[in-house]
Amino acid sequence: MDHKRSSNEPEMIEVRTKGAIPILTPDAPPTTQIPPSRTASLEARVTPKGPKEQPKDQPKEQPKLTLHEPRPEVPKRNATLDTTSSSHRKEPVTSSAADPPLRPKRPSSADGGAKLTKPPPSETASSAGILASDDFLIIEKPVPAHVKAEPGQSSLIAKLTGKGRPDPRTWPPDALAELQRREEIYHQMRVYIDKLEERIQSQDQEISALNTALADTEHKLDTTRQDLNASRAFVSSEGTADAQHLIKGLRELNSAIDDFAFRFMQEVLPDSATSKEVSKDGLEGLGKSFHGAAKISTFINIAYARKACVGDFIHPFICYALCIRLIELVYDPFVPGMNKEESSIFKEIYAMVHRNEIQERSARWRAITYAHSQPHRNNNLFCEKAADDFLHRMVKAIEPLIGADAVTFDHAKKEVGDAVKSVFLEAVKLQDKAQTGYMSFDYVPFVPGLDQPFHPAYMETAQDVRQGGKGKNSMAVLNLGLGMQAWKSVVKEDKSVGKDVNIALKAPVLCGNWNPSA
């Protein structure tokens, strides 16, 4: 529908933009109306200029707009204004030149216009960031309230960091005071940091000194640990862990002695000789040819009385003879193979040291002296000579029992020479270990005395023997292996030094109730 306008009514052009108030310009020349679309743009260019104040008594000029020009981008505001329909036009509203432009009444849906979002009552054109000047429209983003400066004043940060920063001599007093305060804080922080650095350096030096002390302590502990390992010794109880190595070694030595005796009887003696009974002449000849036969006279008499065969008699006899020879050559001397004169000197000195010093000192003297008394000792040569001597003794001792020329030394050495040599080597190694590797106790292999009642504290046997019996059947008549005792010097209540003896391994023996045919 067309509306006619009178000639004296000014022509009004309404310019709508999203987020801006409409601007009405009176006395504008008539132009052809362009049907706007829903997203119609403002075909006008606005040339921004700074705001210019005008005297209050002069009328404010209206901004001049030129149509058909691209409009500038306008920031979006919370209050959105939509373009009106092309079939409706807003009636012109006149305003005085002295008053600032006010936002016209928005068309409602009843008038056929687009719906507009109503701003809060407290929001005005200035608070929304919209400023009007003589010839342009400025739309600014409002500054947050917490950073707004008072009118006519600039912030301290702007004074100090602005591009056109004045000379420090011309700074305002509050800026100088703030700068001085921050410089004092900076110096305080530097002093605190210097103190922290000095403290860290001091702690680093302390840590370095502690690491050095720790290394020294670890070295001392390692040395002490080595000494303790060298000082470990077996104790009196047979089942203790410290004695197990030596107990095991001595048991293996006793087993090797028994194996050698069995091999000697089986491989050296002829079958015809071992199966016949022992004779009185043969036993008397053995007593004369074997050194120390008087000690086993009870055993010889039992064998003759019970008519034992030669094989049954020779096996325990060789075990006994080898144990006695090991004691004489390996365990009695201060060092295996040492002659009696030198050995007696060292043993007397050690006995004196042991009587007057505690166990640790006397044992250390014993270990050092044992290791250096014969530094060039040849164990292999010594054991070979000891094995040959033992075989020669055995062949000579049993010759009356089996007959002349029934067995020779060369034949015995060929068959069992290596076996008996290995027994001596094993005995020497065990002695070296006991004398140099154990400080808390002294290791002493022993054989119990014969012709005495069986004592279960330091004897053991496979026979059924009544303990505490005083008859011949309960007597120990022959040694079959070695026992091991551990003794050390102890300080008594009267401050004197005594000896504490314990049994680590019992010695196997043959008792008077021995049955040769069993």
Side-chain angles (χ1 to χ4, degrees):
M1 177 185 287
D2 296 335
H3 297 274
K4 295 181 180 181
R5 303 178 184 274
S6 59
S7 59
N8 57 356
E9 184 177 0
E11 184 72 12
M12 305 297 294
I13 297 177
E14 180 180 359
V15 180
R16 295 179 181 270
T17 179
K18 189 174 182 180
I21 62 173
I23 303 174
L24 305 180
T25 57
D27 300 333
T31 180
T32 305
Q33 182 177 0
I34 301 174
S37 62
R38 186 69 177 176
T39 58
S41 62
L42 175 64
E43 296 182 355
R45 174 170 300 191
V46 181
T47 305
K49 291 184 180 180
K52 181 174 67 176
E53 297 182 357
Q54 294 182 359
K56 295 183 179 180
D57 54 348
Q58 293 183 3
K60 188 174 183 179
E61 296 183 4
Q62 300 295 334
K64 299 179 181 181
L65 301 177
T66 305
L67 301 179
H68 305 288
E69 292 183 2
R71 63 165 185 166
E73 291 186 9
V74 181
K76 295 182 180 181
R77 305 297 299 169
N78 293 331
T80 304
L81 300 180
D82 299 331
T83 55
T84 58
S85 175
S86 59
S87 61
H88 296 82
R89 180 178 295 275
K90 183 71 177 180
E91 293 297 331
V93 179
T94 59
S95 60
S96 67
D99 297 333
L102 301 176
R103 180 173 299 183
K105 182 179 180 182
R106 299 180 183 180
S108 62
S109 59
D111 299 334
K115 292 183 180 181
L116 301 177
T117 303
K118 185 177 180 180
S122 60
E123 182 178 354
T124 60
S126 59
S127 64
I130 303 174
L131 303 177
S133 62
D134 296 338
D135 53 356
F136 60 88
L137 177 66
I138 300 176
I139 302 175
E140 295 181 346
K141 184 177 180 179
V143 181
H146 64 279
V147 298
K148 286 184 179 181
E150 297 182 2
Q153 295 183 1
S154 58
S155 65
L156 181 60
I157 297 178
K159 293 178 182 180
L160 297 177
T161 61
K163 293 183 178 180
R165 182 172 58 183
D167 186 70
R169 293 174 294 182
T170 63
W171 285 1
D174 54 351
L176 293 175
E178 179 67 12
L179 181 61
Q180 183 178 3
R181 185 182 68 84
R182 296 192 180 189
E183 286 180 353
E184 292 176 357
I185 295 175
Y186 170 79
H187 289 306
Q188 293 176 358
M189 293 178 65
R190 285 305 312 170
V191 171
Y192 182 72
I193 292 173
D194 293 339
K195 291 181 178 180
L196 288 178
E197 290 177 351
E198 292 176 0
R199 184 175 180 182
I200 292 173
Q201 185 178 3
S202 176
Q203 290 181 349
D204 289 340
Q205 294 176 356
E206 293 179 2
I207 292 173
S208 178
L210 291 175
N211 288 334
T212 303
L214 178 62
D216 295 339
T217 304
E218 289 177 348
H219 178 71
K220 293 179 181 178
L221 288 175
D222 185 67
T223 304
T224 305
R225 187 180 298 109
Q226 293 177 0
D227 294 339
L228 289 175
N229 291 335
S231 301
R232 293 183 62 196
F234 57 86
V235 293
S236 59
S237 177
E238 181 179 341
T240 57
D242 288 340
Q244 288 304 310
H245 177 75
L246 293 177
I247 292 173
K248 181 181 178 182
L250 194 56
R251 282 178 174 169
E252 290 176 353
L253 180 61
N254 288 336
S255 177
I257 293 173
D258 184 73
D259 292 341
F260 167 74
F262 181 80
R263 287 187 59 185
F264 186 91
M265 187 183 63
Q266 294 291 327
E267 299 176 11
V268 176
L269 300 181
D271 294 339
S272 59
T274 58
S275 60
K276 66 180 183 179
E277 293 183 2
V278 294
S279 63
K280 182 179 179 182
D281 295 337
L283 292 175
E284 289 178 353
L286 183 142
K288 293 177 182 179
S289 61
F290 179 72
H291 177 71
K295 295 181 180 179
I296 59 172
S297 60
T298 303
F299 170 69
I300 294 175
N301 292 332
I302 292 175
Y304 177 73
R306 296 176 184 176
K307 300 179 179 181
C309 63
V310 173
D312 294 336
F313 174 84
I314 288 179
H315 181 274
F317 169 74
I318 291 179
C319 290
Y320 166 79
L322 186 52
C323 290
I324 297 301
R325 198 57 179 164
L326 289 175
I327 293 292
E328 294 175 349
L329 297 180
V330 178
Y331 299 122
D332 270 354
F334 187 77
V335 177
M338 182 178 286
N339 58 60
K340 292 183 178 180
E341 292 77 9
E342 293 180 357
S343 178
S344 61
I345 294 173
F346 282 108
K347 292 180 74 172
E348 288 177 2
I349 296 175
Y350 179 55
M352 180 183 64
V353 173
H354 199 275
R355 285 193 304 265
N356 297 281
E357 298 292 340
I358 60 176
Q359 175 64 28
E360 287 73 13
R361 294 178 182 176
S362 62
R364 192 171 296 277
W365 182 92
R366 177 250 300 161
I368 295 174
T369 307
Y370 181 94
H372 297 283
S373 59
Q374 287 186 341
H376 304 293
R377 174 166 53 101
N378 190 337
N379 290 334
N380 189 59
L381 181 61
F382 164 74
C383 292
E384 184 176 358
K385 290 182 178 181
D388 292 346
D389 178 71
F390 179 75
L391 287 177
H392 186 271
R393 287 170 179 262
M394 289 299 99
V395 170
K396 184 179 179 181
I398 66 175
E399 186 177 5
L401 287 174
I402 61 177
D405 299 330
V407 63
T408 63
F409 168 76
D410 294 335
H411 177 67
K413 182 176 180 180
K414 178 181 177 181
E415 297 296 334
V416 294
D418 292 338
V420 68
K421 180 182 176 180
S422 65
V423 172
F424 278 95
L425 283 173
E426 187 175 350
V428 170
K429 291 179 180 178
L430 189 64
Q431 176 71 346
D432 291 344
K433 179 67 175 178
Q435 295 297 312
T436 60
Y438 292 84
M439 302 293 126
S440 299
F441 289 86
D442 277 29
Y443 157 80
V444 182
F446 73 99
V447 288
L450 300 179
D451 296 335
Q452 61 179 352
F454 174 81
H455 201 302
Y458 57 91
M459 297 179 184
E460 64 180 5
T461 183
Q463 300 167 243
D464 187 11
V465 179
R466 188 180 65 177
Q467 298 181 8
K470 296 183 179 180
K472 292 183 178 179
N473 292 339
S474 301
M475 293 289 185
V477 296
L478 195 69
N479 303 119
L480 301 179
L482 299 174
M484 184 177 68
Q485 65 179 358
W487 53 271
K488 65 178 180 178
S489 58
V490 295
V491 180
K492 299 181 180 179
E493 295 180 357
D494 58 353
K495 305 300 181 182
S496 62
V497 179
K499 182 184 292 187
D500 184 16
V501 181
N502 300 282
I503 302 300
L505 182 64
K506 300 176 183 180
V509 296
L510 186 68
C511 295
N513 62 349
W514 168 56
N515 184 7
S517 61

